Amino acid sequence: DFVMTQSPESLAVSLGERATINCKSSQSVLLSSTNKNFLAWYQQKAGQPPKLLIYWASTRESGVPDRFSGSGSGTDFTLTITSVQAEDVAVYYCQQYYSTLYSFGQGTKLEI
Amino acid sequence: EVQLVESGGGLVQPGGSLRLSCAASGFTFSSHSMNWVRQAPGKGLEWLSYISRSGTPTYYADSVRGRFTISRDNAKNSLYLQIDSLRAEDTAVYFCVREGDSGSYSASWGHGTLVTVSS
């Protein structure tokens, strides 16, 4: 099984500051034949369903502000929000889709 | 615009059954694999089940294999989840999820339907 572990569990930053959220997979999610990492990031605001932010570890979904970026490879990944805005308050999840049994991290709560 | 509308949730007694439905529109349903994901109150996301574009293969999380059955009807643009032998720990919002155009990430989510298991 692929276990996804996020850190920190919660994060408080000031408006305009950078936020960094980490995600570690128990096994590599890199498919060497394609050099693609099967890792996505989601944002869930209170009372709403999750929203896709990043896929293939670093590809931003259409319409997602460019202050959101994803990086990393293999087992270690990072979601970075440069210049955090008030509307970024949410819980952020990573997910691996490398295995046929997908799995999510436990979530990181971002507060201002 | 992609729309996924779940229905079928409600209050059910332990040991009971429910069939959740998801009506899809705004895209070619038969061209996308689909998933069910749930979220218990105040908790994180839990992936439950996958179904391919054609209906086979299907995959399940260990926690629900044998009790949950995913299916689809491409002619009706609909996804289903049959839930049997319900337990208190199955209480959650159940989301219908469409996979992406270029990979198995969860590109689009419905708003979910709440299942409450209680006597």
Side-chain angles (χ1 to χ4, degrees), chain B residues 22-73:
Chain B
C22 171
S25 61
F27 65 102
T28 303
F29 182 70
S30 59
S31 297
H32 289 266
S33 299
M34 300 291 292
N35 292 266
W36 287 98
V37 174
R38 72 181 177 185
Q39 186 170 38
K43 302 297 184 182
L45 302 172
E46 179 186 15
W47 172 81
L48 298 176
S49 185
Y50 159 96
I51 187 166
S52 71
R53 291 173 292 178
S54 67
T56 54
T58 59
Y59 302 116
Y60 299 91
D62 291 345
S63 59
V64 304
R65 188 177 300 115
R67 294 193 301 123
F68 288 21
T69 304
I70 192 171
S71 62
R72 65 190 296 161
D73 186 335

Side-chain angles (χ1 to χ4, degrees), chain A residues 98-110:
Chain A
Y98 183 95
S99 165
T100 53
L101 305 184
Y102 306 155
S103 50
F104 290 93
Q106 79 277 23
T108 295
K109 185 175 185 179
L110 177 65

Side-chain angles (χ1 to χ4, degrees), chain A residues 22-38:
Chain A
N22 302 301
C23 175
K24 187 175 184 66
S25 175
S26 61
Q27 301 178 59
S28 176
V29 299
L30 173 65
L31 184 61
S32 54
S33 60
T34 62
N35 201 36
K36 284 189 171 182
N37 287 281
F38 286 57

Side-chain angles (χ1 to χ4, degrees), chain A residues 1 36 38 40 42 44 47-52 54-56 61 93 95 97 100-106, chain B residues 35 37 39 43-47 50 59-62 65 95 99 102-111:
Chain A
D1 290 5
K36 284 189 171 182
F38 286 57
Y42 304 89
Q44 187 178 31
Q48 296 183 20
K51 171 189 171 184
L52 175 66
I54 303 281
Y55 56 97
W56 299 130
E61 172 71 330
Y93 296 92
Q95 181 205 19
Y97 49 98
T100 53
L101 305 184
Y102 306 155
S103 50
F104 290 93
Q106 79 277 23
Chain B
N35 292 266
V37 174
Q39 186 170 38
K43 302 297 184 182
L45 302 172
E46 179 186 15
W47 172 81
Y50 159 96
Y59 302 116
Y60 299 91
D62 291 345
R65 188 177 300 115
F95 295 104
E99 293 196 352
S102 65
S104 301
Y105 47 87
S106 302
S108 303
W109 297 66
H111 279 80

Side-chain angles (χ1 to χ4, degrees), chain B residues 9-29:
Chain B
L11 176 63
V12 62
Q13 292 189 337
S17 297
L18 273 180
R19 189 194 196 205
L20 307 183
S21 300
C22 171
S25 61
F27 65 102
T28 303
F29 182 70

